[in-house]
Structures are given as C-alpha cells and as structure tokens.
Amino acid sequence: MPHLSRRPFVFLRHAQSTRNQERRIGGQHDVPLTARGEAEARRAQALVGGLDWSLAVASPLVRARHTAELALGRAPDRLEEGLMERHWGDLEGQPIPTAIPYTDTPPNGEAWEAFVTRIATTLNALLDEADTPLVVGHSGLVRAVRWLTSGSPTGPRSANAIPLWIAPATGDRWDIRDFTAADRARIVR
C-alpha cells in the first residue's frame, strides 16, 4: 500500500447532498446539494472562507465543487479528478447499510486498494505542491486517510461541511479532528 506524506492539510467534506438526505450511497453519481446542504456550506465559510489558502482544490462532483464555492466564497483553484468518491458500482444509489464493508470490492465497483492508492497519489501530489492546502471532497477520503495512517478505515463518519484538521502528530500518529478558529489563525498569511 502507498503512504501519505507527513504534511498537514484541511479537509472539508461536501455539505448535505440529495443522496445523504435519502440515506443512499452517492459514490460517483453526480448529485446536487440540498437547501440544507447549501446552508451548511455557507456556515463553513466562517472557518475556511477568506483565507489565503496556498491551494484550494475540490472533487469535480457537483456536491463537492458547489460546497467549495459556497464555503470559500469563490471557486476552488482547481478541480481534481483523483479526489472523486469511490465508485461503489452496483451499490450506488442503494440504501446505506448498517455496516459498510469498506475493504471489500463492491460488485462492478472500485477495489479498496485502487481507491486508497488513487487518494494517496492525489493527496501526496497536492501536499508536495502546497503548504497546508484545503481539500474539498467526500467521506471516503477520510476512510482512506485512516487506512493510510492507522491501517483501519473505521472511525466516526466525517460530518457534512465541518472542516477537519489532518496532520502528522508525534511518532507515527496522525491527528484527525475538527478544524478550529485557533487552527484558522495559524493559517492566516
């Protein structure tokens, strides 16, 4: 498996989409934000808007791109195909199961190893390019990061439109926690 470069970044999961509202797997289906999602993305602007990000990128899927636009108050610097959600194959559009078998390959979908490699390759390129970039994407990215940093995709589901600070900690550990006003103050250039 690949590794994740030990550099910090801020991750913002897209705001509530129509698939989130329906409790269905969105995957790579290109679905819009709900009215609630648009409001969530605007609230995220208090933490991520108005900063001089070294780089602000988003998945090209409309729910992530639109979240980035609303949270930043502008378009992201660019869209990154490698940040797209995992392709869940035949499971896309289906109800979210109680237990999701993340490391299994869904029928006609993207294998876990391929997905994690895609996310690691994309994140590492972004981390080589910019100091503490803002990455707007999907919940699968946090699962992949957990796998890369701890060997397990399990953990709390990332909340819609709540920015996360993802950074190396002591030893081999990583911090994955809410991005705070104090963190924001450190990023202001």
Side-chain angles (χ1 to χ4, degrees):
M1 280 308 254
H3 76 283
L4 182 61
S5 295
R6 291 189 59 81
R7 307 233 357 245
F9 65 100
V10 176
F11 171 69
L12 180 65
R13 180 184 177 201
H14 63 79
Q16 185 190 62
S17 71
T18 54
R19 284 289 160 85
N20 294 144
Q21 183 180 49
E22 299 163 350
R23 303 271 314 134
R24 295 184 177 278
I25 296 173
Q28 291 187 3
H29 283 181
D30 208 5
V31 298
L33 297 178
T34 62
R36 173 182 162 184
E38 289 180 351
E40 289 171 345
R42 285 186 190 94
R43 280 194 299 275
Q45 192 173 43
L47 283 172
V48 301
L51 287 177
D52 184 18
W53 292 99
S54 58
L55 180 64
V57 297
S59 158
L61 295 175
V62 71
R63 61 195 187 266
R65 180 183 46 79
H66 194 49
T67 297
E69 292 166 351
L70 293 172
L72 287 167
R74 65 173 176 85
D77 296 321
R78 69 174 182 260
L79 303 177
E80 285 288 337
E81 294 278 328
L83 295 175
M84 287 185 21
E85 180 61 282
R86 182 180 184 183
H87 191 290
W88 283 92
D90 296 348
L91 299 179
E92 292 194 6
Q94 298 301 309
I96 297 172
T98 305
I100 300 173
Y102 296 109
T103 58
D104 294 349
T105 301
N108 299 308
E110 186 174 15
W112 175 252
E113 295 81 13
F115 173 63
V116 170
T117 298
R118 172 169 60 83
I119 292 297
T121 300
T122 302
L123 286 176
N124 287 338
L126 296 171
L127 294 171
D128 285 347
E129 178 181 346
D131 180 41
T132 317
L134 173 66
V135 176
V136 183
H138 310 273
S139 64
L141 182 140
V142 173
R143 301 272 175 217
V145 167
R146 282 194 183 110
W147 178 266
L148 291 164
T149 60
S150 73
S152 172
T154 60
R157 184 174 205 83
S158 57
N160 292 104
I162 302 295
L164 296 177
W165 175 252
I166 300 177
T170 57
D172 290 340
R173 294 184 40 248
W174 282 74
D175 283 335
I176 301 175
R177 59 169 176 76
D178 288 354
F179 180 71
T180 66
D183 297 321
R184 177 184 164 84
R186 280 182 281 213
I187 290 179
V188 173
R189 298 184 202 304

